Amino acid sequence: MTTALRRLRNYIDGEFRDAADGRTTEVVNPATGEAYATAPLSGAADVDAAMAAAEAAFPAWRDLIPAERQKVLLKVADRFEERAEELIAAESENCGKPIGLVRSEEIPPMVDQIRFFAGAARMLEGRSAGEYMDGFTSIIRREPVGVCAQVAPWNYPMMMAVWKFAPALAAGNTVVIKPSDTTPASTVLIADIIGSVLDELGHSRGVFNVICGDRETGRLMVEHKVPAMASITGSVRAGMQVAESASKDLKRVHLELGGKAPVVVFEDTDIAKAVEDISVAGYFNAGQDCTAATRVLVHESIHDEFVAALAKAASETKTGAVDDEDVLYGPLNNANQLKQVKGFIERLPAHAKIEAGGEQVGEKGYFFAPTVVSGLKQDDEIVQHEVFGPVITVQPFSDEKQAVQWANDVEYALASSVWTKDHARAMRMSRSLDFGCVWINTHIPLVAEMPHGGFKKSGYGKDLSSYGFDDYTRIKHVMTSLDG
């Protein structure tokens, strides 16, 4: 007997709808490898409808005083708390994530981030008015950019949706957001939450729209004439394609792309504490995090001791079922990602050594063992390219100069960390590391008040913080004559 698949639908102008042409795609639970739902495979007609709804809703939403937009977002945050168990269940099924970790590590920061941007809505700052030419006064207006086309990734589909819609709505923009085709469930649920709040407070539900689909759907969104801005969190390849598509009509683009975070461990580090923190930061969410601590550079004097301790930590790290409270991470998100991670291991050069893990685990689903690889050279594929899996590489360095050189010698520049008791050295390293974030004696904590975003092929624009809020605004100069 076959279990009927749940039907997910687009959310356009306050209504849940199938794709106009009826096309669907199956959604698979990565913990089981089995389909549990279908989602629309949206095409041009669906994109047109969503953009029209957002465009129609924009003037009234833009013209609200900030306090009214704040009320909406604060109520959304409250509703996230009230419906937390529904969100947790949806995200766990979406991604195979451990239920307890979604509850403790994702719901609280998401609620906090929504409330942060609710406050930011009332802090639209500009330079003070002044006279810069005799007889004239200049003022600065900070305004929303318009309709925002947003594409969220599959590694944190729920949280990344929050990072996108919260600043956009707070600034007065309207939104059309597309979740990944492998993880649409939680974003569709978010649409139900936001739509109900907009309705209760008397605002157009066209302010927030969700369309499901694949890369072609995303391309149609970015190339559509209506959006003033395109925002994507995804791969470098996807970001380049979005930038190219958006350039055809000069849309503003916000890109948060890949990472290859260096973790620089000096000889004065407390090895046991560093290994404990780095293993969690490397394996959390199955290493499917652009900031994951997966590229360790350790001083040669403590290299062997560090590798042995890290391999032991890997062997004690558990992956498995969503309801197992001892599990640190769940499966890789999809079959293609499992194939990619396996490929990196299969292509390791002869001089590399697998110290722990290195294989798929479990009889079903896309689980991969916590892995440590040593003996690598700087130009090896696994050092230079993002694995996006539970794989930590380790290289020995001889001195601070070499550590900086190797740390910066990748195409990505999102996040990094330095581990040392020497304050002056930590300050030198934070200056020299060419990454958007440098953590010192820690790795991966994020707060709503501080920006997240990188350089080079990690993209441009910031998420979180007032800087992320500013990205969703435009600046207008107004000049008036004092002659009346």
Side-chain angles (χ1 to χ4, degrees), residues 194-208:
I194 294 178
S196 66
V197 170
L198 289 167
D199 195 44
E200 289 170 21
L201 296 181
H203 304 295
S204 168
R205 288 184 287 180
V207 165
F208 182 81

Side-chain angles (χ1 to χ4, degrees), residues 130-152:
E131 290 69 49
Y132 302 95
M133 180 181 290
D134 288 341
F136 296 88
T137 294
S138 288
I139 62 173
I140 295 294
R141 290 183 55 88
R142 191 176 287 275
E143 302 174 339
V145 298
V147 175
C148 296
Q150 302 182 321
V151 179

Side-chain angles (χ1 to χ4, degrees), residues 213 247 254 286 380 425 449:
S247 70
H254 182 283
D380 285 338
R425 178 159 59 191
E449 294 85 352

Side-chain angles (χ1 to χ4, degrees), residues 22-66:
R23 292 190 304 155
T24 63
T25 183
E26 287 191 342
V27 185
V28 173
N29 183 332
T32 65
E34 298 173 355
Y36 69 90
T38 62
L41 193 56
S42 300
D46 307 297
V47 173
D48 285 344
M51 294 300 174
E55 185 177 35
F58 173 64
W61 185 252
R62 173 198 62 200
D63 293 343
L64 283 175
I65 62 170

Side-chain angles (χ1 to χ4, degrees), residues 459-478:
Y460 44 81
K462 297 295 183 184
D463 289 310
L464 303 177
S465 79
S466 61
Y467 299 98
F469 182 61
D470 286 348
D471 280 357
Y472 286 95
T473 67
R474 66 183 191 182
I475 296 171
K476 179 186 288 183
H477 170 219
V478 179

Side-chain angles (χ1 to χ4, degrees), residues 265-344:
V265 182
F266 285 95
E267 66 277 8
D268 61 345
T269 301
D270 180 331
I271 294 177
K273 182 65 166 61
V275 164
E276 179 183 357
D277 292 352
I278 290 167
S279 62
V280 171
Y283 297 134
F284 188 81
N285 203 41
Q288 298 170 128
D289 190 316
C290 297
T291 63
T294 55
R295 183 169 64 104
V296 177
L297 304 171
V298 59
H299 191 269
E300 59 190 10
S301 65
I302 61 169
H303 172 268
D304 293 351
E305 183 181 356
F306 183 93
V307 169
L310 186 61
K312 183 175 184 293
S315 69
E316 295 170 351
T317 298
K318 189 175 179 182
T319 180
V322 300
D323 57 355
D324 187 337
E325 294 184 358
D326 294 327
V327 163
L328 177 65
Y329 67 88
L332 296 167
N333 182 260
N334 54 74
N336 286 337
Q337 188 59 27
L338 175 62
K339 181 180 178 181
Q340 175 171 307
V341 173
K342 282 182 172 180
F344 274 100

Side-chain angles (χ1 to χ4, degrees), residues 388-471:
F388 223 56
V391 180
I392 299 178
T393 64
V394 186
Q395 300 166 257
F397 67 85
S398 58
D399 55 29
E400 187 175 318
K401 180 180 179 181
Q402 186 178 64
V404 170
Q405 180 184 347
W406 284 1
N408 290 338
D409 181 30
V410 290
E411 293 183 329
Y412 306 92
L414 183 58
S416 59
S417 63
V418 179
W419 300 74
T420 181
K421 296 176 183 176
D422 185 330
H423 176 74
R425 178 159 59 191
M427 292 296 97
R428 290 195 303 272
M429 292 294 293
S430 66
R431 178 187 62 188
S432 301
L433 289 171
D434 189 20
F435 294 84
C437 175
V438 180
W439 287 291
I440 298 173
N441 295 324
T442 188
H443 194 110
I444 228 166
L446 294 168
V447 292
E449 294 85 352
M450 290 292 113
H452 176 81
F455 317 132
K456 298 182 346 189
K457 285 191 176 179
S458 289
Y460 44 81
K462 297 295 183 184
D463 289 310
L464 303 177
S465 79
S466 61
Y467 299 98
F469 182 61
D470 286 348
D471 280 357

Side-chain angles (χ1 to χ4, degrees), residues 86-205:
E86 292 177 70
L87 290 165
I88 292 164
E91 194 73 337
S92 182
E93 198 166 35
N94 249 349
C95 308
K97 294 185 179 185
I99 290 170
L101 288 175
V102 179
R103 182 179 290 115
S104 64
E105 303 300 322
E106 296 199 30
I107 296 295
M110 285 192 303
V111 171
D112 178 67
Q113 289 152 8
I114 296 169
R115 287 176 177 151
F116 171 82
F117 284 113
R122 300 178 71 166
M123 292 294 291
L124 284 166
E125 296 180 347
R127 293 179 180 175
S128 61
E131 290 69 49
Y132 302 95
M133 180 181 290
D134 288 341
F136 296 88
T137 294
S138 288
I139 62 173
I140 295 294
R141 290 183 55 88
R142 191 176 287 275
E143 302 174 339
V145 298
V147 175
C148 296
Q150 302 182 321
V151 179
W154 48 251
N155 59 333
Y156 293 99
M158 191 162 59
M159 186 177 291
M160 295 302 98
V162 167
W163 286 20
K164 294 190 180 303
F165 78 70
L169 296 182
N173 304 284
T174 54
V175 165
V176 178
I177 189 168
K178 187 191 86 67
S180 167
D181 56 339
T182 67
T183 56
S186 56
T187 311
V188 171
L189 180 56
I190 287 171
D192 183 55
I193 291 172
I194 294 178
S196 66
V197 170
L198 289 167
D199 195 44
E200 289 170 21
L201 296 181
H203 304 295
S204 168
R205 288 184 287 180

